[in-house]
Amino acid sequence: MAHGALEVADIFRTHGPAWRNAQRSHLSLGQLKVMSAVEQCRSAALGGHVLRCEGCGQEQIAYNSCRNRHCPKCQASAAKRWLDARQADLLPVDYYHVVFTLPAPISAFAYCNKAVIYALLFDVAAETLLTIAADPKHLGASIGATLVLHTWGSSLTHHPHVHGVVPGGGLSPDGERWIACRPGFFLPVRVLSRLFRRRFLEELEDLHRAGRLRFFGEHAALADAQAFTEWLAPLRRCEWVVYAKRPFAGPEAVLAYLSRYTHRVAISNSRLICLDERGVTFRWKDYRAKGHTRLKTMTLGPDEFMRRFLLHVLPTGFHRIRHYGLLANGARTANLALARQLLQVRTVPQPEDDSSGVPATFSCPHCGHPMVVLANFTRGAPIVAQQARPP
């Protein structure tokens, strides 16, 4: 297959049927749905419409997208819609990027407890940020945070972590002042790491006592309370990775970052190199290496590639983007209005709801003129040729 043309969908279409049949007892309904959606995305199987350019008269067929949140081809438009809604939330302050990562032993059994462990990761990371920020020894303010869950490493292994985008400051306890953090410094990483470790392990023990964790295979013995306590002991002493990056270079950089991270999937089609007799070859980044040696290629058998891709299918209904503190959905509008008032900036007007029902305009790839919809066709329906008309 030509360089640059390979898609995850091609791998699923070529090798998926046989692999699904061999793994039928090991694949969840959610994973099967993702495979089906990715395979059919932007193909005649999902229907579409026939377009004609009003300028040059060119006609083209546009197939419908699957809109599955795990599909590499459907995330750009979803990210744009989400970012348009977030424009009004930005404040004229420094923003910081914080990452909370689970240790490998917990990540290993988190796969069989996705909904519980991922939700705990979200909540404890947010609690850690809000607690340390509220401490007068550090910031002494109520802050807000947007957290985004990623479950993969660059080589598609299971590596749950959350990326946090946090304004560099917050409201004073009495709500009368905006308290900014020190320039270039948000909160101490070591303090965040220690509290995150302690609170996560406390909550994990509570989940075990409540019988909400499941253990299989090599972890089956951890169902015993004493064995689980002994297994946790080394995790209380090792360092947990909490990473804080330098502040973003202005609100535009925040939006650029969010556009890359909020709707990312385990691997993009642009990272795929080829599919041949050796398997699937793709680019990955080795973060343990330095400089240009980080960029490497990896070849996996098609079965292993599909297995790793499907490791990252989220539980049905699970929200991978969450807002906390000042940015929590219930009070975000009021909190941001107060913050802008204290920062003495103009309130950003909310965009009006466009309920006109006018369909989006398609642009001609040849001349840029608008394209009109000539006909729609449903799933699996034959495409009827349109009678040619002059432009």
Side-chain angles (χ1 to χ4, degrees):
M1 192 165 295
H3 176 73
L6 182 61
E7 298 180 349
V8 173
D10 298 317
I11 301 166
F12 282 173
R13 293 189 193 109
T14 303
H15 298 280
W19 188 68
R20 268 193 298 262
N21 187 56
Q23 301 292 326
R24 66 179 64 182
S25 60
H26 302 288
L27 295 174
S28 68
L29 178 60
Q31 291 172 323
L32 292 172
K33 286 182 176 180
V34 168
M35 289 189 72
S36 177
V38 171
E39 289 172 12
Q40 297 181 30
C41 185
R42 298 184 191 175
S43 71
L46 297 184
H49 35 269
V50 181
L51 306 171
R52 173 179 289 142
C53 175
E54 294 182 327
C56 64
Q58 289 282 345
E59 292 188 4
Q60 73 176 52
I61 296 170
Y63 295 115
N64 292 333
S65 301
C66 68
R67 296 195 176 187
N68 190 288
R69 59 178 170 170
H70 302 91
C71 175
K73 288 189 290 192
C74 288
Q75 302 314 302
S77 57
K80 185 180 184 306
R81 291 192 300 270
W82 189 84
L83 287 173
D84 289 344
R86 300 280 76 77
Q87 286 272 5
D89 293 350
L90 288 177
L91 295 171
V93 299
D94 286 339
Y95 276 77
Y96 291 82
H97 176 196
V98 186
V99 183
F100 291 84
T101 303
L102 291 179
I106 294 179
S107 298
F109 84 83
Y111 178 74
C112 296
N113 299 272
K114 284 184 176 181
V116 175
I117 299 300
Y118 294 170
L120 184 60
L121 173 58
F122 264 122
D123 292 342
V124 174
E127 177 192 326
T128 300
L129 286 170
L130 299 180
T131 300
I132 300 303
D135 189 337
K137 292 187 297 183
H138 299 293
L139 185 62
S142 299
I143 65 168
T146 295
L147 302 184
V148 182
L149 173 69
H150 285 182
T151 63
W152 54 83
S154 187
S155 60
L156 299 182
T157 53
H158 191 235
H159 177 60
H161 56 286
V162 292
H163 295 261
V165 177
V166 191
L171 299 177
S172 61
D174 59 7
E176 298 293 328
R177 293 178 298 121
W178 176 266
I179 301 176
C181 63
R182 287 185 292 169
F185 179 82
F186 179 50
L187 293 172
V189 171
R190 180 175 291 272
V191 176
L192 291 172
S193 175
R194 296 296 166 82
L195 180 59
F196 175 61
R197 178 180 65 185
R198 177 173 65 81
R199 289 293 298 122
F200 193 95
L201 292 177
E202 288 174 352
E203 294 295 327
L204 198 61
E205 286 186 303
D206 289 344
L207 289 172
H208 191 280
R209 282 192 291 269
R212 296 183 58 194
L213 299 178
R214 300 182 302 167
F215 300 96
F216 302 96
E218 61 180 307
H219 298 107
L222 297 181
D224 176 74
Q226 182 60 34
F228 189 69
T229 300
E230 293 174 358
W231 181 81
L232 288 181
L235 295 174
R236 300 184 191 280
R237 298 187 295 270
C238 70
E239 291 294 334
W240 287 39
V241 178
V242 176
Y243 179 58
K245 294 188 177 181
R246 295 170 59 187
F248 293 99
E252 295 78 9
V254 177
L255 289 178
Y257 167 83
L258 287 173
S259 68
R260 294 194 304 270
Y261 274 81
T262 52
H263 292 74
R264 182 176 287 185
V265 297
I267 187 169
S268 62
N269 288 329
S270 62
R271 287 174 55 197
L272 301 177
I273 298 175
C274 67
L275 172 63
D276 54 25
E277 65 279 357
R278 296 182 303 133
V280 183
T281 302
F282 60 94
R283 301 179 187 86
W284 71 292
K285 188 176 290 186
D286 184 356
Y287 289 97
R288 291 171 297 183
K290 295 183 179 181
H292 297 294
T293 59
R294 281 187 171 185
L295 299 177
K296 300 180 179 180
T297 61
M298 177 179 293
T299 300
L300 298 175
D303 291 1
E304 176 61 12
F305 178 88
M306 291 185 288
R307 185 193 73 83
R308 291 196 189 188
F309 184 91
L310 295 174
L311 285 176
H312 310 292
V313 173
L314 295 175
T316 301
F318 190 90
H319 295 282
R320 64 179 177 186
I321 306 173
R322 303 189 184 190
H323 309 280
Y324 294 87
L326 300 182
L327 300 180
N329 292 331
R332 179 167 57 229
T333 301
N335 288 332
L336 290 174
L338 176 58
R340 289 193 180 93
Q341 177 184 339
L342 296 175
L343 289 166
Q344 298 181 345
V345 296
R346 181 175 60 87
T347 302
V348 178
Q350 294 295 324
E352 295 182 2
D353 179 30
D354 181 10
S355 56
S356 61
V358 178
T361 300
F362 298 92
S363 297
C364 177
H366 303 284
C367 67
H369 279 75
M371 303 190 77
V372 296
V373 178
L374 299 181
N376 295 295
F377 52 95
T378 58
R379 293 170 176 256
I383 304 171
V384 180
Q386 300 293 311
Q387 182 179 358
R389 295 186 303 180

